[in-house]
Amino acid sequence: MSSNIVIRKYQEIDAAELLRMWKESQHGWPMGLSMASGNSPEQFNSNLLQGNELAHYIAVDTAKTRVVGYCGFSASPTDERFSNLPLLNVHPEWQKHGIGRR
């Protein structure tokens, strides 16, 4: 399953597929994923890019052309040499396949 996974930078054309993945992943988050609630792909993309993250990456299952993971990087508030990983989300069906470690 994980041999078909490619990690790459998020692009605006990925918004609908990433939103789908977030909606399908919500039940695993105690408070849900608020960005996934009731948004159009355009609004989701706008909200995502307005955040504090320096970069957004997605994991794509190339065999099914599906986004199966997401992570964002933000600057460390205390040391500019470091960054934080404020959110790492892997679709429940692809968890425990090493995607988050890549």
Side-chain angles (χ1 to χ4, degrees):
M1 189 183 254
S2 62
S3 64
N4 297 324
I5 303 299
V6 173
I7 308 293
R8 64 171 174 80
K9 276 195 154 184
Y10 168 81
Q11 301 171 33
E12 187 175 346
I13 61 170
D14 301 315
E17 184 59 21
L18 181 56
L19 178 58
R20 180 207 50 78
M21 191 275 299
W22 278 39
K23 286 183 177 184
E24 292 177 2
S25 301
Q26 290 193 90
H27 71 277
W29 294 84
M31 301 296 285
L33 291 167
S34 61
M35 282 184 57
S37 299
N39 284 330
S40 68
E42 295 79 17
Q43 185 62 47
F44 174 80
N45 181 69
S46 177
N47 291 344
L48 187 69
L49 298 180
Q50 287 178 9
N52 294 328
E53 287 82 6
L54 300 172
H56 306 271
Y57 287 88
I58 57 174
V60 180
D61 180 342
T62 58
K64 297 182 179 182
T65 319
R66 289 187 63 177
V67 172
V68 298
Y70 164 85
C71 71
F73 292 93
S74 63
S76 169
T78 57
D79 192 331
E80 65 185 31
R81 297 173 299 160
F82 300 102
S83 62
N84 293 328
L85 184 70
L87 178 61
L88 174 64
N89 184 19
V90 176
H91 190 286
E93 293 176 14
W94 279 268
Q95 291 177 5
K96 303 192 187 301
H97 293 279
I99 294 171
R101 285 187 234 131
R102 296 173 72 185

XYZ file of all heavy atoms in Angstrom:
809
model
N 0.822 -1.201 0.000
C 0.000 0.000 0.000
C 0.861 1.259 0.000
O 0.624 2.177 -0.765
C -0.934 -0.011 1.208
C -1.984 1.069 1.196
S -2.996 1.055 2.677
C -4.496 0.377 2.056
N 1.914 1.320 0.842
C 2.700 2.543 0.944
C 3.709 2.703 -0.194
O 4.300 3.752 -0.336
C 3.412 2.614 2.299
O 4.302 1.544 2.428
N 3.903 1.690 -1.032
C 4.842 1.829 -2.139
C 4.328 2.778 -3.211
O 5.098 3.285 -4.020
C 5.161 0.460 -2.746
O 3.991 -0.094 -3.316
N 3.039 3.060 -3.232
C 2.456 3.976 -4.205
C 2.342 5.397 -3.667
O 1.733 6.238 -4.303
C 1.048 3.509 -4.604
C 1.056 2.169 -5.279
O 1.968 1.850 -6.025
N 0.042 1.374 -5.013
N 2.917 5.670 -2.506
C 2.777 6.972 -1.861
C 3.896 7.911 -2.281
O 5.066 7.562 -2.218
C 2.766 6.828 -0.329
C 1.647 5.897 0.124
C 2.662 8.192 0.349
C 0.257 6.346 -0.229
N 3.501 9.109 -2.699
C 4.444 10.170 -3.045
C 4.146 11.359 -2.144
O 2.983 11.738 -1.977
C 4.284 10.577 -4.531
C 5.131 11.782 -4.864
C 4.603 9.423 -5.447
N 5.196 11.940 -1.549
C 5.058 13.142 -0.736
C 5.464 14.319 -1.619
O 6.525 14.304 -2.233
C 5.972 13.095 0.508
C 5.798 11.805 1.298
C 5.757 14.345 1.369
C 4.479 11.621 1.959
N 4.588 15.335 -1.673
C 4.912 16.508 -2.487
C 4.239 17.745 -1.902
O 3.367 17.640 -1.033
C 4.478 16.301 -3.930
C 2.990 16.163 -4.125
C 2.652 16.180 -5.611
N 1.274 15.917 -5.898
C 0.286 16.803 -5.802
N 0.527 18.023 -5.382
N -0.957 16.469 -6.115
N 4.669 18.904 -2.390
C 4.072 20.157 -1.926
C 2.619 20.247 -2.365
O 2.263 19.837 -3.472
C 4.835 21.356 -2.469
C 6.029 21.722 -1.655
C 6.521 23.102 -2.024
C 7.234 23.680 -0.824
N 7.648 25.047 -1.072
N 1.805 20.789 -1.485
C 0.399 21.052 -1.765
C 0.297 22.133 -2.833
O 1.062 23.103 -2.832
C -0.293 21.501 -0.473
C -1.667 22.064 -0.670
C -2.763 21.228 -0.823
C -1.880 23.444 -0.717
C -4.036 21.749 -1.008
C -3.146 23.965 -0.898
C -4.211 23.112 -1.055
O -5.472 23.624 -1.236
N -0.673 21.976 -3.727
C -0.984 22.981 -4.741
C -2.484 23.272 -4.682
O -3.277 22.431 -4.245
C -0.631 22.464 -6.132
C 0.824 22.098 -6.306
C 1.054 21.384 -7.627
O 0.396 21.657 -8.617
N 1.979 20.450 -7.628
N -2.875 24.422 -5.159
C -4.285 24.815 -5.126
C -5.192 23.785 -5.800
O -6.315 23.556 -5.355
C -4.462 26.176 -5.792
C -5.851 26.737 -5.671
C -5.972 28.135 -6.232
O -4.951 28.794 -6.476
O -7.118 28.569 -6.418
N -4.712 23.123 -6.832
C -5.533 22.117 -7.518
C -5.810 20.894 -6.645
O -6.672 20.087 -6.975
C -4.894 21.664 -8.856
C -3.528 21.023 -8.615
C -4.798 22.818 -9.828
C -2.943 20.341 -9.837
N -5.106 20.770 -5.511
C -5.304 19.656 -4.586
C -6.400 19.913 -3.562
O -6.725 19.039 -2.761
C -4.003 19.356 -3.817
C -2.847 19.000 -4.719
O -3.061 18.198 -5.648
O -1.733 19.513 -4.492
N -6.984 21.111 -3.553
C -7.910 21.510 -2.484
C -9.088 20.562 -2.320
O -9.403 20.144 -1.204
C -8.406 22.939 -2.716
N -9.758 20.201 -3.399
C -10.943 19.342 -3.288
C -10.581 17.971 -2.726
O -11.278 17.434 -1.859
C -11.625 19.189 -4.640
N -9.483 17.419 -3.175
C -9.072 16.091 -2.715
C -8.581 16.132 -1.268
O -8.870 15.235 -0.475
C -7.994 15.534 -3.656
C -7.557 14.137 -3.348
C -8.657 13.085 -3.383
O -9.710 13.301 -4.011
O -8.457 12.028 -2.752
N -7.853 17.186 -0.890
C -7.414 17.316 0.496
C -8.604 17.538 1.419
O -8.671 16.955 2.499
C -6.397 18.450 0.638
C -5.844 18.679 2.042
C -5.203 17.405 2.607
C -4.860 19.834 2.041
N -9.563 18.340 0.992
C -10.770 18.554 1.787
C -11.516 17.240 1.997
O -11.974 16.950 3.106
C -11.670 19.586 1.098
C -13.010 19.887 1.773
C -12.819 20.383 3.196
C -13.786 20.899 0.940
N -11.617 16.424 0.963
C -12.262 15.112 1.092
C -11.541 14.271 2.141
O -12.153 13.675 3.026
C -12.255 14.366 -0.251
C -12.916 12.975 -0.171
C -12.390 11.999 -1.208
N -10.952 11.904 -1.259
C -10.196 11.206 -0.384
N -10.735 10.559 0.624
N -8.879 11.178 -0.513
N -10.208 14.241 2.076
C -9.430 13.453 3.036
C -9.652 13.965 4.453
O -9.835 13.178 5.378
C -7.939 13.527 2.666
C -7.052 12.541 3.411
S -6.425 13.021 5.039
C -5.469 14.471 4.688
N -9.670 15.283 4.638
C -9.893 15.841 5.974
C -11.272 15.461 6.492
O -11.422 15.100 7.651
C -9.744 17.356 5.957
C -8.314 17.815 6.038
C -7.241 17.226 5.422
C -7.817 18.922 6.751
N -6.118 17.928 5.715
C -6.437 18.987 6.524
C -8.405 19.895 7.523
C -5.639 19.974 7.083
C -7.603 20.874 8.070
C -6.240 20.905 7.851
N -12.290 15.555 5.655
C -13.645 15.201 6.090
C -13.733 13.733 6.490
O -14.404 13.379 7.455
C -14.657 15.532 4.989
C -14.919 17.011 4.859
C -15.969 17.312 3.823
C -16.253 18.808 3.788
N -17.326 19.154 2.876
N -13.051 12.866 5.758
C -13.071 11.440 6.076
C -12.226 11.113 7.301
O -12.341 10.023 7.860
C -12.598 10.627 4.867
C -13.575 10.687 3.706
C -13.100 9.952 2.464
O -12.002 9.347 2.485
O -13.821 10.000 1.450
N -11.369 12.037 7.735
C -10.489 11.818 8.882
C -11.009 12.444 10.169
O -10.455 12.192 11.231
C -9.104 12.419 8.594
O -8.526 11.849 7.456
N -12.040 13.261 10.096
C -12.508 14.039 11.248
C -12.814 13.210 12.482
O -12.554 13.641 13.595
C -13.782 14.811 10.901
C -13.598 15.917 9.956
C -14.822 16.791 9.927
O -14.883 17.721 10.690
N -15.767 16.482 9.066
N -13.395 12.043 12.285
C -13.852 11.274 13.450
C -12.698 10.862 14.368
O -12.907 10.569 15.524
C -14.636 10.041 12.989
C -13.784 8.995 12.350
N -13.410 9.048 11.023
C -13.208 7.882 12.862
C -12.636 8.004 10.747
N -12.509 7.292 11.836
N -11.484 10.876 13.878
C -10.325 10.518 14.691
C -9.788 11.659 15.537
O -8.895 11.467 16.339
N -10.337 12.853 15.372
C -9.893 14.021 16.117
C -10.960 14.369 17.153
O -12.114 14.592 16.792
C -9.685 15.201 15.164
C -8.555 14.972 14.214
C -8.604 14.294 13.036
C -7.216 15.388 14.375
N -7.375 14.272 12.448
C -6.497 14.945 13.256
C -6.540 16.107 15.365
C -5.136 15.186 13.091
C -5.186 16.351 15.189
C -4.506 15.900 14.072
N -10.594 14.462 18.430
C -11.592 14.722 19.481
C -12.449 15.964 19.224
O -13.640 15.965 19.483
C -10.752 14.897 20.747
C -9.504 14.130 20.463
C -9.260 14.259 18.982
N -11.873 17.017 18.693
C -12.616 18.244 18.430
C -12.969 18.379 16.949
O -13.461 19.414 16.526
C -11.801 19.466 18.865
C -11.435 19.459 20.342
S -12.859 19.556 21.423
C -13.293 21.250 21.240
N -12.696 17.358 16.158
C -12.935 17.439 14.720
C -11.873 18.294 14.047
O -10.972 18.812 14.687
N -11.970 18.424 12.769
C -11.075 19.292 12.007
C -11.919 20.442 11.476
O -12.591 20.310 10.459
C -10.417 18.511 10.859
C -9.407 17.458 11.297
C -9.058 16.531 10.139
C -8.155 18.109 11.847
N -11.921 21.552 12.182
C -12.847 22.645 11.888
C -12.726 23.173 10.461
O -13.714 23.605 9.882
C -12.665 23.791 12.881
O -11.344 24.303 12.792
N -11.551 23.137 9.880
C -11.393 23.633 8.508
C -12.162 22.786 7.504
O -12.466 23.233 6.413
C -9.923 23.672 8.104
C -9.184 24.855 8.668
S -7.486 24.939 8.102
C -7.683 24.965 6.339
N -12.491 21.560 7.875
C -13.175 20.669 6.944
C -14.688 20.827 6.970
O -15.373 20.311 6.109
C -12.810 19.215 7.260
N -15.199 21.546 7.932
C -16.643 21.638 8.093
C -17.268 22.644 7.143
O -16.965 23.831 7.200
C -16.983 22.036 9.527
O -16.501 21.068 10.414
N -18.132 22.166 6.268
C -18.951 23.012 5.431
C -18.242 23.895 4.429
O -18.819 24.845 3.942
N -17.002 23.628 4.139
C -16.264 24.477 3.212
C -16.317 23.960 1.782
O -16.328 22.763 1.539
C -14.786 24.561 3.617
C -14.541 25.458 4.798
O -15.259 26.417 5.009
N -13.528 25.151 5.565
N -16.293 24.890 0.854
C -16.064 24.539 -0.545
C -14.554 24.356 -0.705
O -13.771 24.841 0.128
C -16.536 25.671 -1.451
O -15.705 26.811 -1.282
N -14.104 23.682 -1.742
C -12.659 23.560 -1.968
C -11.969 24.929 -2.054
O -10.859 25.090 -1.541
C -12.565 22.796 -3.289
C -13.810 21.985 -3.331
C -14.859 22.863 -2.697
N -12.627 25.911 -2.638
C -12.031 27.240 -2.760
C -11.861 27.900 -1.387
O -10.813 28.492 -1.104
C -12.896 28.129 -3.676
C -12.968 27.657 -5.107
C -13.945 26.501 -5.332
O -14.815 26.236 -4.472
O -13.816 25.842 -6.376
N -12.889 27.797 -0.542
C -12.809 28.375 0.796
C -11.791 27.621 1.646
O -11.029 28.220 2.395
C -14.181 28.360 1.483
C -14.191 29.060 2.824
C -13.854 30.536 2.720
O -14.381 31.240 1.880
N -12.952 30.992 3.558
N -11.771 26.308 1.519
C -10.801 25.487 2.239
C -9.385 25.912 1.866
O -8.534 26.127 2.723
C -11.036 24.012 1.907
C -10.009 23.094 2.485
C -10.069 22.694 3.802
C -8.969 22.617 1.695
C -9.121 21.852 4.341
C -8.014 21.764 2.222
C -8.091 21.377 3.548
N -9.111 26.064 0.570
C -7.789 26.471 0.102
C -7.417 27.839 0.660
O -6.300 28.038 1.141
C -7.752 26.488 -1.432
C -6.398 26.884 -1.955
O -5.438 26.146 -1.828
N -6.319 28.057 -2.556
N -8.353 28.766 0.622
C -8.103 30.105 1.142
C -7.771 30.060 2.631
O -6.809 30.692 3.088
C -9.326 30.983 0.901
O -9.141 32.257 1.449
N -8.554 29.307 3.408
C -8.300 29.185 4.849
C -6.947 28.538 5.121
O -6.211 28.966 6.005
C -9.392 28.362 5.521
C -10.717 29.077 5.559
O -10.804 30.279 5.354
N -11.778 28.324 5.793
N -6.625 27.518 4.361
C -5.361 26.813 4.551
C -4.183 27.746 4.307
O -3.231 27.789 5.091
C -5.294 25.611 3.599
C -4.113 24.664 3.765
C -4.218 23.898 5.081
C -4.059 23.694 2.602
N -4.235 28.521 3.237
C -3.121 29.385 2.874
C -3.034 30.648 3.715
O -2.006 31.322 3.705
C -3.194 29.732 1.382
C -3.081 28.530 0.439
C -3.170 28.987 -1.010
C -1.814 27.731 0.686
N -4.075 30.971 4.475
C -4.050 32.135 5.355
C -3.432 31.813 6.711
O -3.210 32.712 7.510
C -5.454 32.691 5.567
C -5.990 33.407 4.364
C -7.408 33.904 4.579
O -7.943 33.849 5.687
N -8.024 34.370 3.518
N -3.145 30.559 6.960
C -2.565 30.161 8.232
C -1.108 30.581 8.367
O -0.546 31.247 7.495
N -0.488 30.183 9.444
C 0.896 30.555 9.733
C 1.928 29.576 9.185
O 3.112 29.755 9.411
C 1.085 30.666 11.253
C 0.284 31.802 11.835
O 0.067 32.817 11.184
N -0.181 31.634 13.060
N 1.481 28.567 8.483
C 2.416 27.568 8.002
C 3.332 28.139 6.924
O 2.929 28.934 6.086
C 1.675 26.346 7.436
C 1.033 25.463 8.484
C -0.318 25.972 8.965
O -0.810 26.968 8.402
O -0.855 25.405 9.915
N 4.581 27.691 6.941
C 5.553 28.088 5.923
C 5.385 27.255 4.658
O 5.661 27.728 3.558
C 6.981 27.897 6.454
C 7.346 28.695 7.699
C 8.704 28.248 8.216
C 7.339 30.180 7.387
N 4.966 26.015 4.836
C 4.805 25.101 3.704
C 3.782 24.034 4.065
O 3.591 23.702 5.232
C 6.132 24.441 3.354
N 3.130 23.505 3.034
C 2.124 22.451 3.177
C 2.544 21.293 2.277
O 2.887 21.507 1.113
C 0.740 22.939 2.721
C 0.295 24.187 3.397
N -0.403 24.173 4.578
C 0.446 25.489 3.076
C -0.663 25.409 4.944
N -0.158 26.231 4.037
N 2.487 20.080 2.819
C 2.822 18.888 2.040
C 1.677 17.895 2.111
O 0.963 17.829 3.122
C 4.106 18.233 2.567
C 5.329 19.031 2.217
C 5.775 20.049 3.040
C 6.036 18.765 1.045
C 6.890 20.794 2.709
C 7.151 19.509 0.709
C 7.574 20.523 1.550
O 8.676 21.259 1.205
N 1.515 17.137 1.044
C 0.504 16.095 1.026
C 1.145 14.769 0.636
O 2.172 14.736 -0.044
C -0.663 16.421 0.063
C -0.163 16.655 -1.362
C -1.468 17.598 0.581
C -1.289 16.835 -2.388
N 0.520 13.702 1.088
C 0.889 12.347 0.675
C -0.189 11.885 -0.293
O -1.378 11.969 0.009
C 0.962 11.412 1.881
N 0.220 11.445 -1.471
C -0.715 11.041 -2.513
C -0.505 9.573 -2.841
O 0.620 9.134 -3.077
C -0.518 11.898 -3.793
C -1.485 11.471 -4.886
C -0.677 13.370 -3.482
N -1.593 8.818 -2.838
C -1.568 7.437 -3.319
C -1.703 7.527 -4.835
O -2.773 7.814 -5.359
C -2.710 6.634 -2.712
C -2.745 5.190 -3.178
O -2.127 4.865 -4.216
O -3.408 4.380 -2.515
N -0.603 7.314 -5.536
C -0.603 7.500 -6.992
C -1.420 6.440 -7.717
O -1.902 6.685 -8.820
C 0.827 7.515 -7.547
O 1.483 6.291 -7.200
C 1.602 8.696 -6.981
N -1.603 5.278 -7.108
C -2.396 4.221 -7.748
C -3.874 4.595 -7.795
O -4.584 4.211 -8.716
C -2.207 2.893 -7.027
N -4.326 5.355 -6.792
C -5.746 5.720 -6.714
C -5.964 7.220 -6.915
O -7.089 7.682 -6.857
C -6.320 5.296 -5.368
C -6.291 3.794 -5.165
C -6.911 3.418 -3.852
C -6.897 1.907 -3.687
N -7.539 1.486 -2.456
N -4.891 7.954 -7.090
C -4.935 9.413 -7.218
C -5.743 10.035 -6.087
O -6.651 10.825 -6.294
C -5.512 9.846 -8.590
O -4.982 8.995 -9.602
C -5.117 11.273 -8.916
N -5.378 9.647 -4.874
C -6.069 10.144 -3.671
C -5.066 10.758 -2.720
O -3.977 10.213 -2.521
C -6.760 8.997 -2.940
C -7.969 8.462 -3.661
C -8.698 7.461 -2.831
N -9.207 8.089 -1.601
C -9.942 7.455 -0.721
N -10.267 6.195 -0.896
N -10.374 8.061 0.347
N -5.437 11.877 -2.118
C -4.634 12.447 -1.036
C -4.917 11.605 0.203
O -6.073 11.392 0.569
C -4.985 13.926 -0.795
C -4.290 14.449 0.456
C -4.600 14.771 -2.006
N -3.859 11.111 0.828
C -4.021 10.247 2.001
C -3.331 10.807 3.240
O -3.412 10.211 4.308
C -3.527 8.810 1.705
C -4.361 8.188 0.593
C -2.050 8.780 1.357
N -2.659 11.956 3.103
C -2.000 12.552 4.254
C -1.679 14.012 4.019
O -1.639 14.488 2.881
N -1.457 14.729 5.132
C -1.151 16.152 5.080
C -0.243 16.502 6.249
O -0.374 15.958 7.347
C -2.439 16.988 5.207
C -2.153 18.439 5.535
C -1.865 19.347 4.530
C -2.131 18.884 6.850
C -1.561 20.662 4.826
C -1.826 20.198 7.156
C -1.543 21.088 6.137
O -1.230 22.378 6.438
N 0.668 17.446 6.029
C 1.386 18.065 7.135
C 1.722 19.497 6.745
O 1.891 19.820 5.567
C 2.641 17.292 7.544
S 3.989 17.377 6.368
N 1.778 20.338 7.731
C 2.155 21.734 7.536
C 3.331 22.056 8.442
O 3.444 21.513 9.539
N 4.210 22.922 7.972
C 5.359 23.361 8.757
C 5.204 24.831 9.071
O 4.839 25.623 8.203
C 6.664 23.164 7.966
C 7.020 21.745 7.740
C 6.615 21.099 6.585
C 7.747 21.042 8.675
C 6.936 19.770 6.359
C 8.068 19.710 8.467
C 7.662 19.080 7.317
N 5.502 25.206 10.313
C 5.466 26.616 10.697
C 6.768 26.970 11.404
O 7.478 26.092 11.900
C 4.270 26.911 11.604
O 4.368 26.188 12.805
N 7.070 28.243 11.442
C 8.291 28.710 12.093
C 8.172 28.530 13.602
O 7.101 28.725 14.179
C 8.528 30.173 11.758
N 9.266 28.177 14.220
C 9.291 28.100 15.679
C 9.185 29.511 16.244
O 9.891 30.413 15.792
C 10.596 27.458 16.144
O 10.739 27.602 17.545
N 8.323 29.720 17.223
C 8.191 31.068 17.778
C 9.388 31.478 18.640
O 9.575 32.654 18.920
C 6.918 30.983 18.624
C 6.767 29.540 18.942
C 7.380 28.785 17.801
N 10.234 30.517 19.021
C 11.338 30.831 19.920
C 12.723 30.755 19.278
O 13.670 31.318 19.805
C 11.321 29.884 21.136
O 11.386 28.531 20.664
C 10.064 30.079 21.958
N 12.844 30.074 18.140
C 14.160 29.920 17.523
C 13.997 29.769 16.018
O 13.461 28.766 15.538
C 14.870 28.696 18.107
C 16.340 28.618 17.734
O 16.716 29.128 16.648
O 17.114 28.058 18.513
N 14.465 30.734 15.255
C 14.267 30.736 13.804
C 14.998 29.612 13.084
O 14.753 29.361 11.912
C 14.674 32.084 13.212
C 16.139 32.394 13.356
C 16.503 33.793 12.877
O 15.664 34.698 12.974
O 17.634 33.960 12.410
N 15.887 28.916 13.770
C 16.594 27.788 13.153
C 15.724 26.537 13.073
O 16.067 25.581 12.406
C 17.863 27.454 13.933
C 18.891 28.571 13.961
C 20.033 28.239 14.876
N 19.498 28.073 16.230
C 20.117 27.413 17.209
N 21.293 26.860 17.000
N 19.574 27.315 18.397
N 14.601 26.566 13.745
C 13.737 25.391 13.826
C 12.351 25.677 13.267
O 11.928 26.817 13.183
C 13.606 24.916 15.280
C 14.913 24.544 15.900
C 15.548 25.405 16.768
C 15.515 23.332 15.600
C 16.769 25.075 17.335
C 16.723 22.983 16.163
C 17.357 23.861 17.036
N 11.670 24.616 12.912
C 10.265 24.749 12.510
C 9.441 23.772 13.330
O 9.965 22.852 13.946
C 10.087 24.491 11.011
O 10.460 23.180 10.685
N 8.144 24.000 13.338
C 7.203 23.136 14.044
C 6.346 22.397 13.033
O 6.151 22.860 11.907
C 6.286 23.962 14.948
C 7.029 24.613 16.086
O 8.001 24.087 16.592
N 6.570 25.788 16.482
N 5.832 21.292 13.452
C 4.887 20.514 12.656
C 3.553 20.573 13.398
O 3.242 19.700 14.195
C 5.391 19.073 12.530
C 4.607 18.127 11.655
C 4.760 18.509 10.189
C 5.107 16.715 11.869
N 2.760 21.641 13.162
C 1.547 21.819 13.952
C 0.433 20.821 13.650
O -0.429 20.593 14.486
C 1.097 23.242 13.627
C 1.741 23.567 12.329
C 2.988 22.748 12.250
N 0.441 20.242 12.445
C -0.616 19.284 12.118
C -0.082 18.226 11.170
O 0.510 18.532 10.144
C -1.807 20.000 11.461
C -2.966 19.107 11.034
C -3.587 18.385 12.228
C -4.032 19.911 10.310
N -0.297 16.996 11.554
C 0.004 15.841 10.713
C -1.252 14.987 10.719
O -1.734 14.593 11.776
C 1.186 15.050 11.275
C 1.534 13.745 10.578
C 1.981 13.988 9.148
C 2.627 13.020 11.347
N -1.811 14.754 9.545
C -3.058 13.998 9.443
C -2.897 12.937 8.361
O -2.545 13.259 7.229
C -4.209 14.941 9.103
C -5.559 14.242 9.081
O -5.722 13.160 9.628
N -6.525 14.859 8.448
N -3.150 11.703 8.709
C -3.133 10.598 7.749
C -4.517 9.961 7.757
O -5.093 9.700 8.814
C -2.049 9.552 8.104
C -2.099 8.363 7.154
C -0.660 10.192 8.081
N -5.060 9.754 6.571
C -6.379 9.132 6.426
C -6.398 7.821 7.215
O -5.432 7.048 7.174
C -6.662 8.872 4.943
C -8.060 8.460 4.670
N -8.540 7.211 4.969
C -9.099 9.147 4.135
C -9.800 7.127 4.615
N -10.169 8.302 4.108
N -7.485 7.534 7.940
C -7.549 6.318 8.758
C -7.213 5.025 8.004
O -6.578 4.133 8.562
C -8.996 6.300 9.258
C -9.425 7.721 9.240
C -8.702 8.346 8.081
N -7.597 4.920 6.747
C -7.315 3.699 5.985
C -5.841 3.526 5.656
O -5.408 2.427 5.307
C -8.127 3.690 4.688
C -9.620 3.562 4.908
C -10.406 3.656 3.608
O -9.810 3.549 2.520
O -11.637 3.851 3.697
N -5.062 4.599 5.756
C -3.632 4.533 5.424
C -2.748 4.669 6.649
O -1.531 4.713 6.526
C -3.284 5.609 4.396
C -3.621 5.204 2.995
C -2.794 4.587 2.103
C -4.856 5.372 2.330
N -3.455 4.359 0.929
C -4.740 4.841 1.032
C -6.091 5.916 2.688
C -5.775 4.846 0.106
C -7.113 5.916 1.767
C -6.950 5.373 0.484
N -3.340 4.745 7.843
C -2.538 4.822 9.055
C -1.818 3.490 9.298
O -2.251 2.452 8.841
C -3.425 5.187 10.247
C -3.929 6.616 10.143
C -4.873 6.992 11.265
O -5.110 6.233 12.192
N -5.434 8.186 11.160
N -0.700 3.587 9.991
C 0.136 2.429 10.331
C 0.824 1.811 9.119
O 1.122 0.636 9.081
C -0.650 1.389 11.119
C -1.259 1.947 12.395
C -1.771 0.861 13.292
C -2.507 1.409 14.468
N -1.854 2.274 15.351
N 1.066 2.661 8.095
C 1.792 2.227 6.913
C 3.037 3.086 6.692
O 3.607 3.069 5.599
C 0.896 2.275 5.666
C -0.211 1.274 5.702
N -0.043 -0.038 5.373
C -1.509 1.402 6.073
C -1.185 -0.694 5.514
N -2.085 0.160 5.947
N 3.457 3.830 7.713
C 4.691 4.599 7.641
C 4.603 5.946 6.952
O 5.620 6.600 6.771
N 3.420 6.379 6.586
C 3.290 7.646 5.864
C 3.733 8.832 6.740
O 4.456 9.712 6.271
C 1.846 7.846 5.362
C 1.537 6.781 4.306
C 1.634 9.247 4.813
C 0.096 6.724 3.899
N 3.353 8.856 7.985
C 3.735 9.947 8.880
C 5.223 10.015 9.154
O 5.752 11.064 9.480
N 5.921 8.933 9.019
C 7.372 8.907 9.231
C 8.153 9.409 8.028
O 9.305 9.720 8.117
C 7.839 7.488 9.549
C 7.474 7.106 10.955
C 8.086 5.769 11.306
N 6.963 4.964 11.771
C 6.681 3.760 11.383
N 7.457 3.145 10.524
N 5.635 3.129 11.838
N 7.503 9.427 6.879
C 8.200 9.844 5.662
C 8.284 11.333 5.602
O 9.076 11.968 5.075
C 7.490 9.307 4.433
C 7.534 7.794 4.421
C 6.720 7.201 3.338
N 7.369 7.425 2.054
C 6.816 7.086 0.901
N 5.641 6.544 0.883
N 7.429 7.297 -0.214
